[in-house]
Every structure is written in structure tokens, then in C-alpha cells.
């Protein structure tokens, strides 16, 4: 995304089997599916438990097959922008401070430019199902956080929709408020990470 991207962390994570369903337009009033729980499109490899080449110890058995995905995380030095790549998806997380004034859903010109760059990546991946999720920290009331995160997700969605200008693209737009923090809310540094908007989409969709 930018020349400031410096630190790369590669981890392996187990994806759950909740299926992703795309919806359109504005934020759902009762979001129920947590972000990042989509199943990978790649099925587990079939193994013959009786294959002698497996050389299992006597009496041992194979565990149930698990679907693993490789996640690569790249974050800029300031932590304002984060990109996660898996075999199936691409996700951008932008801190609210780089997009909006405090307690606002009004995007600055610089923020719109950053979102436009994400739109270019969406085009490059030929993605047609886009998720835009808003999050807040746990300061203030939960109800206020829910409303603010929805408004911010809707604001980012509107810019992406205009940039892509493609009736074949559908959006799932939701506000999760203080749910699903990615850092501790006990410090301002952690709260800044939790105040974010995430844009995610399938990788290399045809």
C-alpha cells in the first residue's frame, strides 16, 4: 500500500467452518457473524488411515483433518494501516484516526484517497464481494459505539462503491461497536488499534 510498510509477520491460523454470505447496501442492524470466520475454499487432503506408509506407532490413530490457512500480516510503522493476506482473502484495517475526526463519520480528503487505493486493489483481485466492518473501543456506551461504527462503515462503503462503479459488486456492511477488539482496551495504544474500519474481499476471484 505505502512505502512505510515495514514489518511482516507470518502466522498459521485455523479457520472455522462458518460460511460467508454477502449482503448488499448499508450496515445490518443485528450483525451476527463475526468477521474473519469464513471457511477456506480448499478442502482437506484425503488420507487413508490404513496406509502403511504413514508409519504410525502401534495403537496410534490419525486426528481429524483440519483446514489450515497461511496468514501474512503487514503493518506500517505507526500502526495506522494493516494488511492481512491469506490464501483466500485480503483484508485492510485502517485506524479510525486516519479516516475520521474524533467521534465523527466524516471522511477527510486524505482518507478518501487511501480508500481509493484499496479500491484499486479490489479491482486487481477481480473481487465482487466486499465486506466493510466498523469497530470502536470500549469507551463510552456500547449503544453509541454500535451507531458510530455503523456510520463509519457506511461512509467507507459509499466511497468504495463510487470508486468501483460496478453494479456487479455487492457489499456486506456492518458495525460491530466494541465487539471483536484486536488489542487491549486498557491502554490508549490498544484502543487506537480497536477503533478501525476493515475492508476485506476474496483473493483472485474470477
Amino acid at each position: 500500500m505505502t512505502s512505510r510498510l515495514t514489518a511482516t509477520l507470518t502466522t498459521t491460523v485455523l479457520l472455522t467452518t462458518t460460511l460467508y454470505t454477502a449482503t448488499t447496501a448499508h450496515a445490518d442492524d443485528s450483525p451476527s457473524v463475526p468477521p474473519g470466520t469464513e471457511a477456506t475454499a480448499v478442502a482437506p487432503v484425503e488420507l487413508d488411515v490404513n496406509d502403511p506408509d504413514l508409519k504410525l506407532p502401534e495403537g496410534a490413530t490419525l486426528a481429524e483433518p483440519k483446514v489450515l490457512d497461511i496468514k501474512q500480516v503487514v503493518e506500517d510503522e505507526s500502526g495506522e494501516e494493516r494488511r492481512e493476506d491469506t490464501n483466500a482473502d485480503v483484508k485492510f484495517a485502517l485506524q479510525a484516526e486516519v479516516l475520521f475526526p474524533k467521534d465523527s463519520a466524516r471522511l477527510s480528503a486524505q482518507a478518501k484517497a487511501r480508500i481509493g487505493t484499496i479500491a484499486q486493489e479490489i479491482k486487481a483481485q477481480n473481487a465482487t464481494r466486499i465486506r466493510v466492518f466498523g469497530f470502536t473501543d470500549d469507551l463510552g456506551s456500547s449503544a453509541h459505539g454500535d451507531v458510530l461504527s455503523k456510520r463509519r462503515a457506511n461512509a467507507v462503503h459509499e466511497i468504495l462503491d463510487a470508486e468501483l462503479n460496478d453494479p456487479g459488486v455487492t457489499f456486506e456492511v456492518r458495525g460491530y461497536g466494541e465487539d471483536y477488539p484486536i488489542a487491549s482496551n486498557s491502554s490508549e495504544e490498544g484502543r487506537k488499534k480497536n477503533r478501525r474500519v476493515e475492508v476485506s474481499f476474496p483473493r483472485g476471484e474470477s
Side-chain angles (χ1 to χ4, degrees):
M1 283 286 297
T2 69
S3 60
R4 296 182 299 156
L5 298 180
T6 56
T8 302
L9 170 66
T10 303
T11 57
T12 303
V13 295
L14 171 65
L15 298 183
T16 69
T17 56
T18 304
L19 294 177
Y20 159 77
T21 303
T23 57
T24 59
H26 291 286
D28 193 330
D29 288 333
S30 56
S32 58
V33 181
T37 59
E38 307 79 19
T40 180
V42 181
V45 177
E46 293 291 336
L47 294 176
D48 180 2
V49 296
N50 298 313
D51 188 340
D53 292 332
L54 290 175
K55 301 184 186 302
L56 293 175
E58 186 175 351
T61 59
L62 288 173
E64 289 296 317
K66 297 179 179 180
V67 179
L68 298 179
D69 206 356
I70 303 299
K71 177 184 289 187
Q72 183 180 63
V73 180
V74 180
E75 188 174 87
D76 68 3
E77 288 183 350
S78 64
E80 293 178 348
E81 189 170 325
R82 175 185 178 98
R83 173 174 174 154
E84 296 181 7
D85 288 87
T86 70
N87 297 338
D89 296 285
V90 179
K91 178 165 68 177
F92 291 92
L94 297 173
Q95 286 186 11
E97 277 81 353
V98 306
L99 297 176
F100 309 99
K102 183 177 180 180
D103 204 31
S104 168
R106 179 173 51 83
L107 288 162
S108 66
Q110 182 180 9
K112 291 177 182 178
R114 287 197 178 200
I115 297 168
T117 304
I118 294 175
Q120 293 304 311
E121 180 67 15
I122 293 171
K123 292 178 182 178
Q125 297 292 341
N126 296 313
T128 58
R129 292 177 292 126
I130 317 301
R131 290 160 293 184
V132 185
F133 296 153
F135 304 85
T136 63
D137 58 27
D138 65 352
L139 297 181
S141 71
S142 176
H144 178 71
D146 289 345
V147 171
L148 181 61
S149 64
K150 289 177 185 178
R151 290 175 57 213
R152 287 177 166 175
N154 281 329
V156 172
H157 159 247
E158 289 174 4
I159 299 300
L160 283 174
D161 193 27
E163 289 281 342
L164 294 172
N165 191 27
D166 184 348
V169 172
T170 58
F171 289 85
E172 179 183 4
V173 186
R174 292 185 173 184
Y176 286 94
E178 64 189 50
D179 294 338
Y180 312 111
I182 59 174
S184 172
N185 278 305
S186 62
S187 69
E188 178 56 21
E189 181 180 1
R191 291 191 292 269
K192 283 181 67 176
K193 289 181 178 292
N194 292 333
R195 298 190 295 264
R196 69 197 190 278
V197 175
E198 295 181 353
V199 178
S200 57
F201 45 91
R203 169 181 293 283
E205 181 176 296
S206 58

